[in-house]
Amino acid sequence: MRIKPFAAVQSSGLTLEQLGAFAGNLGVETQSLHAEDLEILGLREKLLMALREPNTRILVNYSRIPLDQEGDGHISPLAAYDEASDSVLVLDVVRYKYSPVWIPIDSLFAAMQRVDPDAGRSRGLLFLKLRGQP
């Protein structure tokens, strides 16, 4: 996959696949999962497995609209899961506007299900792992 020029990224962002290709070019193993290919139980299971792996990081691609935030498509790291509230901690990269926030997993799942118009598919998750790491 050809990498998008910086000016195009500034104006329209990256799809999940483009972000994965970018990370892959930096030497990171990637696995993308679209929300349309998951059920809520499968999502929870994948998140818990990845969060237990010390060499794995998770980026979430979601729409801000279902979360009553300004804008639409967005990508931020997902840092933790709280079983008691069934919520995930999203470390928003737009810190001047949005603080880290606990989002109920079903609300995040709904936000990931919205279609990315550039990709023609739902949004989802990108798992990142350094190559050669367990």
Side-chain angles (χ1 to χ4, degrees):
M1 173 181 286
R2 189 168 164 263
I3 299 297
K4 210 174 187 180
F6 181 72
V9 172
Q10 280 187 303
S11 67
S12 65
L14 293 170
T15 66
L16 201 54
E17 282 75 20
Q18 290 167 338
L19 182 61
F22 180 81
N25 284 340
L26 296 174
V28 177
E29 289 180 29
T30 66
Q31 178 192 13
S32 61
L33 291 173
H34 290 270
E36 66 198 38
D37 297 328
L38 292 169
E39 294 181 10
I40 192 78
L41 293 176
L43 169 64
R44 190 178 292 105
E45 180 182 304
K46 297 248 184 227
L47 290 175
L48 288 172
M49 284 182 6
L51 288 167
R52 289 183 185 124
E53 294 293 326
N55 294 314
T56 300
R57 302 296 180 265
I58 306 166
L59 296 178
V60 61
N61 176 320
Y62 61 99
S63 170
R64 290 183 180 274
I65 294 169
L67 303 175
D68 295 324
Q69 296 178 346
E70 192 175 306
D72 190 6
H74 190 61
I75 299 168
S76 279
L78 191 148
Y81 172 75
D82 177 62
E83 188 175 0
S85 65
D86 197 28
S87 298
V88 290
L89 178 61
V90 175
L91 304 178
D92 203 305
V93 295
V94 186
R95 288 183 15 203
Y96 67 89
K97 194 171 190 178
Y98 295 104
S99 299
V101 63
W102 287 96
I103 300 174
I105 201 163
D106 58 340
S107 297
L108 182 64
F109 188 52
M112 292 187 325
Q113 288 176 323
R114 289 185 57 95
V115 171
D116 177 342
D118 292 332
R121 296 194 67 190
S122 66
R123 298 173 187 281
L125 302 165
L126 182 66
F127 298 94
L128 307 167
K129 184 187 287 191
L130 291 176
R131 289 208 170 114
Q133 297 296 311

